[in-house]
Amino acid sequence: MEQEKQRRLRTLPAVHEVISRLEHEEEFSPFLTNEKQLPRLTQGVRQVLQKARENVNRNFKDSYAEFETSLWSWLKTQLLQELTHPETSLRRVINGTGVVLHTNCGRALLAPEVARFVAEHAEMYSNLELNIETGERGSRYVHVEELLCHLTGAEAALVVNNNAAAVLLMMNTFAQGKEVIVSRGELVEVGGSFRIPEVLKAGGAKLIEVGTTNKTWLRDYEAAIGPETAVLLKVHSSNYRVEGFTHSVSGTELVELGETRGLPVMEDLGSGSFFDGTNLGFPLEPTIQQTVKAGLSLVSFSGDKLLGGPQAGIIVGKEAFVQRLRANQLTRALRVDKLTLAALEGTLLLYKNGGLEEIPVWRMLSLPIESLKSAASELVGALHSNPAISVELKEDFSQVGGGAWPTVDLPTWVCAIRPKQGSVVELEKFLRLGPVAILTRIHKDRVLIDGRTLLEGDREDIVRRLGELS
Ligand SMILES: *Cc1c(COP(=O)(O)O)cnc(C)c1O
């Protein structure tokens, strides 16, 4: 083993040897003839040789089965990939996981026309904070406020950096130095370290927990109200469900209680949706409009979860309350960028004009099972002749992601791949470490690729990468 490793390490050429051999390879001439590109080429050769050494040391075969014979072609392929690789840190990833709102991959995708609108605004001056009629300074929030009020039925709206910031702002504005009552069943932690108790603390509010994990009654809130109580807060349980022997208090009931005791009721809806997804098979949950209608003072939700827009924290509710948020200095620190506002306005316009199928998140969530099947079987078909793997069409389930409908399994079809050599763990890694990272899911002895979250051109890249296995 060790001997073989040493032998392999010795066969690796030196940097100058690689470069002089490349002089006979046509595809590298753009890099050899251009003085500016030469340092990049040298650097690339170093990196690829380093990668080869690491592979030998780990005894990880990567794409070359017979080391010596395929070394040169392996080096060339890797080098070309290295050189044509974008130099940016932020790169395209192929999401073959079927998780539509994949937090690690940037959550919601924008609709193409929304993305174009954003790109245009990145390159031009606009009336971001200008009242064109009077020539005076305006507010950046007017561009989306009317649309948000129109779509949600609320009196007023404000947008901040994300939903965590929205909750922080609400608590800081209305409950600093005071008490906030929250059910023990709603003290959530959302991925990426958002914890309701911590956010309340950061906002300067004191958390008063009521009820138990599975049951909270109106009388629990009632009993906890005291002279220091500032807000009754409801939080969407997002990424978990308490099932069985449970009870929680609805927004409507809390609003009634709040009215009799003179207290505002606020809700962190988490994902929040303009649509009830029951016709897509999702369990019934109050929409944003229904929550607003229940009479809550303020309701907050994310822009890049089920809404399908940019990262943002949207707060809608009663005018008097939103006005106090606007007056808080923190709002300035949490304000959103013009590109976010452009993306949000574009997305909200799609909702206003009824183009649900144009919003990628909803298009992916509502894909008919036949088209999921044909997407997966096209991939299976394209991979059939690959001698290094065996592929099958299989039924499976996709996930919504982003903490929305965590218990819902969306029926789908996947391309299930079994490597003829090596393990599935190695195959998953091989796909992830290619020129474009391909994210997949491992299930038992197979790597699964779900057609639900694949985009145009992804299939070709997957087929090409797997072709490098053989
Ligand atoms: C996702 C979520 C948040 C955090 O929202 P971001 O927009 O990611 O900041 C807060 N509360 C709940 C209930 C959530 O589901």
Side-chain angles (χ1 to χ4, degrees):
M1 194 76 171
E2 189 56 32
Q3 249 176 358
E4 166 69 9
K5 204 158 99 179
Q6 293 306 330
R7 201 168 55 81
R8 285 180 170 204
L9 284 173
R10 273 195 305 275
T11 42
L12 291 176
V15 176
H16 72 270
E17 285 173 314
V18 176
I19 293 182
S20 67
R21 254 187 100 169
L22 287 176
E23 279 159 17
H24 309 286
E25 306 280 343
E26 206 180 317
E27 63 263 54
F28 287 91
S29 73
F31 299 96
L32 287 156
T33 50
N34 183 335
E35 287 229 341
K36 278 197 197 136
Q37 293 285 353
L38 217 48
R40 223 184 135 197
L41 180 75
T42 318
Q43 174 67 9
V45 174
R46 276 206 194 94
Q47 273 168 6
V48 172
L49 286 173
Q50 177 59 25
K51 196 160 156 189
R53 269 190 296 274
E54 280 165 17
N55 285 349
V56 172
N57 281 327
R58 261 186 270 133
N59 201 27
F60 172 60
K61 292 194 178 63
D62 202 7
S63 58
Y64 53 107
E66 270 127 2
F67 186 79
E68 284 87 352
T69 50
S70 56
L71 177 62
W72 180 242
S73 82
W74 182 86
L75 281 177
K76 273 198 317 185
T77 322
Q78 293 290 317
L79 187 57
L80 261 189
Q81 279 168 8
E82 195 64 47
L83 293 172
T84 48
H85 229 303
E87 282 183 279
T88 53
S89 167
L90 207 50
R91 293 176 193 165
R92 168 179 164 228
V93 159
I94 294 175
N95 178 6
T97 64
V99 180
V100 176
L101 294 168
H102 201 303
T103 301
N104 302 357
C105 300
R107 286 198 190 153
L109 303 183
L110 297 180
E113 61 177 286
V114 174
R116 275 196 297 277
F117 185 57
V118 173
E120 280 164 25
H121 274 269
E123 287 194 288
M124 66 191 187
Y125 293 118
S126 70
N127 60 339
L128 181 68
E129 289 194 357
L130 174 74
N131 181 329
I132 292 182
E133 261 146 54
T134 64
E136 283 165 8
R137 182 167 186 170
S139 155
R140 64 175 58 210
Y141 301 111
V142 299
H143 306 291
V144 290
E145 187 172 7
E146 208 178 293
L147 273 169
L148 282 168
C149 292
H150 171 83
L151 289 166
T152 63
E155 289 173 12
L158 180 69
V159 182
V160 290
N161 191 46
N162 55 21
N163 189 31
V167 180
L168 176 75
L169 181 64
M170 296 195 297
M171 294 303 108
N172 181 263
T173 311
F174 295 97
Q176 194 178 23
K178 302 222 180 80
E179 294 174 358
V180 177
I181 303 179
V182 188
S183 160
R184 286 201 173 88
E186 299 176 1
L187 294 174
V188 303
E189 170 172 326
V190 189
S193 73
F194 173 96
R195 286 175 149 191
I196 278 291
E198 308 296 323
V199 175
L200 292 198
K201 207 197 267 172
K206 183 169 177 219
L207 168 69
I208 303 294
E209 305 174 18
V210 295
T212 59
T213 307
N214 56 331
K215 286 202 175 197
T216 302
W217 301 90
L218 196 60
R219 58 172 185 271
D220 296 323
Y221 287 91
E222 249 179 312
I225 295 176
E228 292 304 310
T229 308
V231 174
L232 306 180
L233 178 67
K234 258 189 89 63
V235 182
H236 194 282
S237 62
S238 289
N239 48 9
Y240 71 97
R241 284 283 169 281
V242 181
E243 279 176 6
F245 193 56
T246 64
H247 186 266
S248 63
V249 178
S250 72
T252 315
E253 290 172 282
L254 266 193
V255 168
E256 273 174 30
L257 175 63
E259 273 168 7
T260 60
R261 306 296 289 266
L263 289 170
V265 181
M266 302 179 187
E267 179 157 0
D268 167 10
L269 263 183
S271 192
S273 166
F274 289 139
F275 286 94
D276 94 45
T278 46
N279 62 340
L280 298 176
F282 295 121
L284 183 66
E285 282 198 23
T287 59
I288 298 166
Q289 301 90 302
Q290 286 162 348
T291 310
V292 167
K293 209 166 172 192
L296 284 93
S297 303
L298 293 173
V299 176
S300 79
F301 48 94
S302 292
D304 57 351
K305 292 187 184 171
L306 282 176
L307 195 89
Q311 179 192 302
I314 300 166
I315 311 173
V316 297
K318 304 255 162 74
E319 173 65 32
F321 285 87
V322 175
Q323 220 157 37
R324 282 190 56 195
L325 295 176
R326 286 194 202 105
N328 187 335
Q329 270 302 309
L330 251 189
T331 302
R332 175 62 179 80
L334 304 174
R335 87 174 186 191
V336 284
D337 172 58
K338 63 181 174 193
L339 300 182
T340 303
L341 284 169
L344 190 57
E345 183 182 11
T347 306
L348 294 173
L349 271 174
L350 290 179
Y351 278 104
K352 188 183 170 199
N353 301 329
L356 189 62
E357 65 291 337
E358 291 169 57
I359 294 169
V361 170
W362 286 95
R363 190 182 51 74
M364 286 180 184
L365 290 177
S366 56
L367 281 172
I369 194 75
E370 312 83 64
S371 57
L372 290 162
K373 188 174 182 180
S374 69
S377 67
E378 272 178 41
L379 185 55
V380 170
L383 292 171
H384 248 312
S385 55
N386 187 323
I389 51 176
S390 59
V391 282
E392 276 176 283
L393 185 64
K394 271 185 164 316
E395 279 185 278
D396 206 78
F397 298 98
S398 332
Q399 297 287 316
V400 183
W405 289 308
T407 52
V408 174
D409 288 326
L410 299 166
T412 192
W413 286 86
V414 295
C415 169
I417 308 169
R418 208 162 43 77
K420 290 195 179 150
Q421 276 191 352
S423 68
V424 274
V425 175
E426 279 169 340
L427 181 61
E428 183 277 335
K429 190 169 167 184
F430 172 80
L431 286 165
R432 185 159 41 79
L433 298 183
V436 185
I438 301 167
L439 296 195
T440 57
R441 198 149 39 89
I442 294 178
H443 182 68
K444 295 188 181 151
D445 59 346
R446 287 180 170 73
V447 161
L448 307 183
I449 299 180
D450 189 334
R452 188 184 295 274
T453 43
L454 293 187
L455 305 176
E456 215 178 301
D458 285 355
R459 179 157 47 98
E460 291 73 9
D461 284 328
I462 295 169
V463 172
R464 193 173 308 126
R465 179 60 175 162
L466 285 166
E468 292 168 12
L469 260 183
S470 34

mmCIF file of all heavy atoms in Angstrom, residues 11 98 102-103 257 283 353 369 371:
data_model
loop_
_atom_site.group_PDB
_atom_site.id
_atom_site.type_symbol
_atom_site.label_atom_id
_atom_site.label_comp_id
_atom_site.label_asym_id
_atom_site.label_seq_id
_atom_site.Cartn_x
_atom_site.Cartn_y
_atom_site.Cartn_z
ATOM 1 N N THR A 11 5.605 9.321 -9.822
ATOM 2 C CA THR A 11 5.242 9.484 -11.238
ATOM 3 C C THR A 11 4.689 10.873 -11.547
ATOM 4 O O THR A 11 4.577 11.248 -12.703
ATOM 5 C CB THR A 11 4.167 8.467 -11.680
ATOM 6 O OG1 THR A 11 3.208 8.369 -10.662
ATOM 7 C CG2 THR A 11 4.723 7.148 -12.056
ATOM 8 N N GLY A 98 -33.665 18.117 -4.637
ATOM 9 C CA GLY A 98 -35.122 18.186 -4.558
ATOM 10 C C GLY A 98 -35.621 19.078 -3.424
ATOM 11 O O GLY A 98 -36.821 19.225 -3.237
ATOM 12 N N HIS A 102 -33.478 25.553 -0.530
ATOM 13 C CA HIS A 102 -32.268 24.999 0.073
ATOM 14 C C HIS A 102 -31.463 26.149 0.683
ATOM 15 O O HIS A 102 -30.879 26.954 -0.044
ATOM 16 C CB HIS A 102 -31.458 24.272 -1.001
ATOM 17 C CG HIS A 102 -30.491 23.272 -0.450
ATOM 18 N ND1 HIS A 102 -29.525 23.631 0.456
ATOM 19 C CD2 HIS A 102 -30.357 21.946 -0.670
ATOM 20 C CE1 HIS A 102 -28.817 22.552 0.763
ATOM 21 N NE2 HIS A 102 -29.311 21.516 0.098
ATOM 22 N N THR A 103 -31.430 26.211 1.996
ATOM 23 C CA THR A 103 -30.789 27.346 2.665
ATOM 24 C C THR A 103 -29.315 27.453 2.293
ATOM 25 O O THR A 103 -28.801 28.550 2.087
ATOM 26 C CB THR A 103 -30.962 27.237 4.193
ATOM 27 O OG1 THR A 103 -32.374 27.212 4.447
ATOM 28 C CG2 THR A 103 -30.388 28.434 4.909
ATOM 29 N N LEU A 257 -57.959 38.607 23.361
ATOM 30 C CA LEU A 257 -57.380 38.795 24.687
ATOM 31 C C LEU A 257 -56.593 40.109 24.742
ATOM 32 O O LEU A 257 -56.727 40.891 25.696
ATOM 33 C CB LEU A 257 -56.460 37.614 25.041
ATOM 34 C CG LEU A 257 -55.683 37.729 26.358
ATOM 35 C CD1 LEU A 257 -56.618 37.793 27.560
ATOM 36 C CD2 LEU A 257 -54.714 36.560 26.518
ATOM 37 N N PRO A 283 -50.767 20.779 4.045
ATOM 38 C CA PRO A 283 -51.751 20.941 5.107
ATOM 39 C C PRO A 283 -52.208 22.400 5.200
ATOM 40 O O PRO A 283 -51.465 23.314 4.850
ATOM 41 C CB PRO A 283 -50.994 20.529 6.378
ATOM 42 C CG PRO A 283 -49.560 20.539 6.027
ATOM 43 C CD PRO A 283 -49.449 20.370 4.550
ATOM 44 N N ASN A 353 -50.173 40.392 -10.546
ATOM 45 C CA ASN A 353 -50.699 40.099 -11.877
ATOM 46 C C ASN A 353 -51.036 38.626 -12.063
ATOM 47 O O ASN A 353 -51.260 38.165 -13.178
ATOM 48 C CB ASN A 353 -49.701 40.573 -12.938
ATOM 49 C CG ASN A 353 -49.453 42.070 -12.817
ATOM 50 O OD1 ASN A 353 -50.338 42.813 -12.404
ATOM 51 N ND2 ASN A 353 -48.256 42.508 -13.147
ATOM 52 N N ILE A 369 -46.603 15.398 -11.460
ATOM 53 C CA ILE A 369 -45.798 14.191 -11.262
ATOM 54 C C ILE A 369 -45.310 13.608 -12.597
ATOM 55 O O ILE A 369 -44.188 13.100 -12.684
ATOM 56 C CB ILE A 369 -46.559 13.137 -10.409
ATOM 57 C CG1 ILE A 369 -45.623 12.055 -9.907
ATOM 58 C CG2 ILE A 369 -47.768 12.564 -11.133
ATOM 59 C CD1 ILE A 369 -44.717 12.462 -8.781
ATOM 60 N N SER A 371 -44.360 15.281 -15.260
ATOM 61 C CA SER A 371 -43.179 15.966 -15.773
ATOM 62 C C SER A 371 -41.955 15.688 -14.898
ATOM 63 O O SER A 371 -40.829 15.700 -15.400
ATOM 64 C CB SER A 371 -43.425 17.465 -15.967
ATOM 65 O OG SER A 371 -43.840 18.053 -14.794
#
